[in-house]
Amino acid sequence: MARRVYIFDTTLRDGEQSPGVNLMVEEKVEIARQLARLGVDVIEAGFPRTSQGDFDAVQAIARAVRGPTICALARVVKEDIDRAAEALEPAERRRIHVFTSGSDIHIRHILRKTRDQVVEESVEAVRYAKTLAEEVEFSPQDCTRSDPEFLYRLFGAAIAAGADVINVPDTVGYTTPEEFAALIKGIRANVPGADRVIISVHCHNDLGLAVANSLAALRAGASQVECAVNGIGERAGNCSLEEVVMALRTRRDFFDLETGIDTRQIYRTSRLVSQLTGMPVQPNKAIVGANAFSHESGIHQDGVLKERTTYEIMRAEDIGLASNRLVLGKHSGRHAFAEKLKEMGYDFSREDLDVLFARFKELTDRKKEVTERDIQALVEEEMFTVSEVYRLDYFHVTTGNNALPTATVRVAIRGVDGEERVIQEASCGDGPVDALCRAVDRATGENCRLVDFAVKAVTEGKEALGEVVMKVEADGQAVIGRGLSTDILEATGRAYVNALNKLRGAVVARRRSGQEATTACP
């Protein structure tokens, strides 16, 4: 019988530490809900002590999500642990994840303490956290550059104090599979009580070995792997959830390990995280990249047409990609559309369904063929529409290689009384996108800076839906705006107004100076 491996997802904690990523509370909750559908065992929802935004997000997830254990990070500091426990209070199952440092490099230069002090503080923290949550996980940072004998002592003390999970982080992505497997075997053999707890691993990808190291550790006896969707995270990122899960599934004959993941939810989860973080998935990314199930070579194409397994070791359907085409068009009715959404795993209220159906019918007037990916993109856009202060009512752009790009816009602005007033403005720019954004700024009175801009086709063909993702910054706040249309300029306008609405009406969770933890995370 295959041994069970627990999937600990840190997309919302370590993943959000990726440079440039700043998720709103509502976006974090939606990702957490999707992680629950995916079937992860633990969701590390954040680090509540770092900011009010992180606290609010952890608390909102604890309140809204059922199924997985909800986890919050804390240093070996009473105030951190109290804040984590308070945020986790509404959760069905709670875990406090306390961390310190295990390597002499960290102990001397970051903590500036002795080994004995680290052990003493860790024991007190674990013992205290155990009084506030059903589960406690303990992590000493930088294990792979630590003295193994000291780690054995530290882990043993934490287990004796009540730790349910001991985590072995390769914080800087330093180790190799052989070395990491040996470390796990050493911990199992030399730490008193190691057989009574879950041994977890948390690998970073600085040398591109995070997945390989995690798999080696699992074979050596670890039973929990900490990972992130699309492998996002600090620096080069974390162990990729989809890669480690599909490796275990595809090579079960070799690993003899299993997870509780519904792999059919992998692609949708990947897209959701990519869209909300503004971090595109590279085309050649394993499992979820655009090229993962594509074949360009004539030899490969011929082989796959004759027998799929000649060049494919996984089925696209296994990760949630549809193999069939969606047969819906301009003559399709509301009932057929609603049934298709249910088939795709979505459940909407009547009001939300009305909005989506209107957008669908609008799309069918522009596209002859509507695919399932078109529908998924529409759903994702509507799911994350924020409260509208501004609404792009009309736009017109003129441009050309010998013409000055000029944009005219009409923007509806909703006041605090709920009444709308309409402002029309025009502006020139260095290009059509610049002109359009400047015209919207003039109409709204906002003064924003476009930091990043990306456009991609959601589906194939000349009439494909285009998705625009942009990062917009104002007054020290940065948000991600998204827009979808068969017209790229319309998608641009929708994305820019979406970003303005976020800046105007939403509280952005961000780490402020003076509120940040003084120690790095595992």
Side-chain angles (χ1 to χ4, degrees):
M1 183 176 177
R3 180 164 59 89
R4 177 73 151 81
V5 169
Y6 299 99
I7 300 298
F8 177 112
D9 182 88
T10 188
T11 304
L12 296 173
R13 201 277 298 169
D14 203 329
E16 205 208 3
Q17 292 173 201
S18 302
V21 174
N22 201 343
L23 295 168
M24 298 166 58
V25 171
E26 295 83 359
E27 293 171 329
K28 289 185 178 182
V29 171
E30 193 53 47
I31 290 175
R33 286 193 173 115
Q34 180 57 31
L35 291 172
R37 295 185 197 104
L38 180 65
V40 304
D41 298 289
V42 184
I43 297 174
E44 189 169 46
F47 191 170
R49 182 77 193 282
T50 57
S51 72
Q52 185 62 41
D54 248 31
F55 177 90
D56 292 342
V58 174
Q59 190 174 64
I61 291 167
R63 187 177 293 115
V65 177
R66 292 294 178 262
T69 296
I70 307 302
C71 177
L73 190 68
R75 294 169 296 176
V76 287
V77 176
K78 183 178 183 298
E79 291 77 11
D80 279 27
I81 297 169
D82 286 336
R83 195 69 168 152
E86 184 183 356
L88 289 172
E89 197 279 328
E92 185 178 50
R93 286 192 290 273
R94 299 167 293 178
R95 179 184 295 184
I96 296 176
H97 182 185
V98 295
F99 75 97
T100 184
S101 287
S103 71
D104 287 334
I105 296 172
H106 279 222
I107 292 171
R108 290 171 187 161
H109 300 292
I110 298 177
L111 300 183
R112 297 182 179 177
K113 293 178 180 177
T114 65
R115 287 183 174 185
D116 288 343
Q117 286 175 310
V118 170
V119 173
E120 183 181 348
E121 288 179 346
S122 299
V123 166
E124 290 177 2
V126 169
R127 189 175 292 140
Y128 181 61
K130 191 66 175 175
T131 67
L132 301 174
E134 297 89 340
E135 298 177 10
V136 174
E137 178 169 338
F138 173 70
S139 293
Q141 290 187 91
D142 205 24
C143 281
T144 57
R145 295 191 294 172
S146 301
D147 172 17
E149 294 299 326
F150 175 62
L151 284 183
Y152 302 157
R153 175 189 169 199
L154 185 57
F155 279 132
I159 292 171
D164 303 282
V165 182
I166 56 171
N167 182 41
V168 187
D170 182 22
T171 306
V172 293
Y174 178 75
T175 196
T176 65
E178 293 80 4
E179 290 174 314
F180 204 39
L183 178 59
I184 299 302
K185 290 176 182 177
I187 290 169
R188 293 181 66 202
N190 295 286
V191 174
D195 58 330
R196 303 194 311 269
V197 300
I198 292 172
I199 298 177
S200 177
V201 292
H202 179 115
C203 296
H204 279 261
N205 205 39
D206 298 68
L207 294 176
L209 295 172
V211 171
N213 287 334
S214 297
L215 292 172
L218 292 175
R219 287 201 75 207
S223 50
Q224 176 177 285
V225 58
E226 306 196 355
C227 44
V229 176
N230 298 336
I232 65 173
E234 286 273 10
R235 302 180 314 278
N238 289 277
C239 173
S240 167
L241 182 150
E242 59 277 2
E243 291 178 25
V244 75
V245 166
M246 291 306 293
L248 294 178
R249 175 190 168 105
T250 305
R251 295 304 314 276
R252 186 169 175 173
D253 61 315
F254 177 76
F255 291 105
D256 195 27
L257 300 170
E258 64 181 9
T259 71
I261 294 296
D262 178 357
T263 62
R264 294 167 300 176
Q265 294 288 333
I266 283 177
Y267 183 73
R268 184 185 301 173
T269 309
S270 170
R271 262 194 62 86
L272 179 66
V273 170
S274 174
Q275 188 180 42
L276 294 186
T277 59
M279 296 183 71
V281 175
Q282 66 195 61
N284 63 329
K285 169 78 165 65
I287 315 299
V288 292
N291 297 346
F293 294 94
S294 299
H295 303 277
E296 178 72 18
S297 163
I299 295 174
H300 285 223
Q301 290 172 346
D302 179 66
V304 168
L305 288 171
K306 290 174 177 174
E307 167 54 47
R308 180 191 60 80
T309 58
T310 54
Y311 288 105
E312 287 187 1
I313 61 172
M314 299 169 284
R315 299 186 312 155
E317 298 92 322
D318 291 339
I319 67 163
L321 283 169
S323 60
N324 60 322
R325 296 178 67 84
L326 175 67
V327 186
L328 282 180
K330 67 186 299 181
H331 300 296
S332 298
R334 189 178 186 279
H335 183 258
F337 180 69
E339 286 301 310
K340 186 60 191 180
L341 288 176
K342 286 183 182 178
E343 181 186 321
M344 293 171 67
Y346 296 113
D347 185 21
F348 291 103
S349 66
R350 179 180 295 272
E351 294 76 13
D352 289 339
L353 185 59
D354 288 341
V355 173
L356 282 167
F357 184 61
R359 289 279 282 131
F360 165 71
K361 296 299 282 187
E362 177 188 333
L363 180 60
T364 61
D365 286 335
R366 299 186 181 197
K367 285 196 70 176
K368 184 177 181 180
E369 295 183 357
V370 177
T371 69
E372 188 167 289
R373 290 180 69 185
D374 289 323
I375 299 296
Q376 184 175 341
L378 281 181
V379 168
E380 289 169 352
E381 184 190 37
E382 292 301 324
M383 283 171 69
F384 303 109
T385 299
V386 294
S387 178
E388 287 191 333
V389 177
Y390 305 123
R391 179 170 53 82
L392 185 59
D393 191 47
Y394 163 88
F395 80 97
H396 179 77
V397 178
T398 58
T399 189
N401 63 330
N402 289 317
L404 181 64
T406 306
T408 302
V409 300
R410 187 165 61 232
V411 178
I413 304 175
R414 181 170 53 82
V416 292
D417 57 359
E419 294 293 321
E420 280 192 350
R421 59 191 177 94
V422 177
I423 303 294
Q424 187 163 305
E425 275 291 353
S427 182
C428 300
D430 292 332
V433 170
D434 185 46
L436 181 55
C437 294
R438 285 175 182 268
V440 172
D441 280 348
R442 288 179 63 120
T444 60
E446 301 285 357
N447 182 23
C448 301
R449 186 168 70 93
L450 182 57
V451 179
D452 196 18
F453 179 91
V455 59
K456 67 177 180 178
V458 174
T459 49
E460 299 79 18
K462 294 179 180 178
E463 55 182 17
L465 270 179
E467 181 181 52
V468 170
V469 179
M470 59 172 66
K471 183 176 180 181
V472 175
E473 187 179 81
D475 298 326
Q477 292 185 344
V479 297
I480 301 296
R482 301 167 195 84
L484 196 71
S485 175
T486 53
D487 183 323
I488 294 304
L489 285 176
E490 181 180 349
T492 298
R494 293 174 69 92
Y496 194 63
V497 170
N498 176 250
L500 293 187
N501 280 323
K502 286 184 177 181
L503 287 168
R504 187 72 170 174
V507 176
V508 179
R510 61 188 180 123
R511 295 176 177 83
R512 303 176 186 275
S513 58
Q515 291 182 303
E516 295 183 355
T518 57
T519 309
C521 307

